[in-house]
Amino acid sequence: MTNKELGSAGEEIAANYLMRQGYRILHMNWRLKGGCEIDIVAFKDNALHFVEVKTRTTTFLDPLHAVNTEKIRHVARAAYQYKRFYGHSYDTRIDAIGIVFRSYADYDLHWIPDVHKSLTDYGYTYRH
């Protein structure tokens, strides 16, 4: 599996997880010129959720360690451009999902809602 395929698999798993939690997926892999990129844009409870997904095949390093302050700033800039592009004024949340992928039937998913509030508070873990 290539890195691109692994990333796509992780994003698909993350989107399915969010839908099971009651989120509506608006976009996946949304891009705008100038480097703005968002893995998943979802909507729930009158808020837009901009979700960064990191997928790895090993537990050697938690995938969420790649979601640092710089990455969150990048997602926040992209979220601003997204809202401006579509004219949305909804509340904004930046979430992160880390996935350790072994197969589509065997993976660990770790979700941090509102990741920008605390980079050290690892929200919810889902074992599949």
Side-chain angles (χ1 to χ4, degrees):
M1 181 176 276
T2 67
N3 285 341
K4 185 174 181 168
E5 291 168 335
L6 179 63
S8 293
E11 289 166 3
E12 181 181 337
I13 288 168
N16 287 331
Y17 175 80
L18 290 170
M19 286 188 288
R20 286 192 305 273
Q21 304 308 310
Y23 289 78
R24 186 171 47 130
I25 305 301
L26 302 178
H27 291 98
M28 292 183 66
N29 296 308
W30 185 84
R31 286 174 172 71
L32 189 64
K33 290 180 183 177
C36 290
E37 175 187 348
I38 302 168
D39 293 334
I40 299 173
V41 180
F43 186 80
K44 184 177 180 183
D45 298 332
N46 214 33
L48 286 169
H49 293 258
F50 298 92
V51 185
E52 179 66 20
V53 180
K54 293 295 181 187
T55 309
R56 303 290 187 262
T57 56
T58 179
T59 58
F60 178 71
L61 185 61
D62 186 336
L64 290 173
H65 279 99
V67 182
N68 55 28
T69 305
E70 181 180 338
K71 185 62 178 174
I72 291 169
R73 268 192 238 120
H74 176 78
V75 173
R77 282 192 301 271
Y80 171 79
Q81 292 299 327
Y82 179 95
K83 288 175 71 172
R84 193 168 153 224
F85 185 82
Y86 289 103
H88 289 308
S89 60
Y90 297 110
D91 287 341
T92 300
R93 306 284 187 274
I94 298 173
D95 302 344
I97 294 179
I99 296 172
V100 176
F101 181 88
R102 290 173 286 282
S103 73
Y104 278 100
D106 184 17
Y107 58 85
D108 296 323
L109 183 147
H110 196 145
W111 173 36
I112 306 176
D114 267 344
V115 68
H116 69 285
K117 287 187 177 178
S118 174
L119 292 175
T120 60
D121 178 23
Y122 281 14
Y124 305 98
T125 300
Y126 176 76
R127 170 92 171 138
H128 184 79

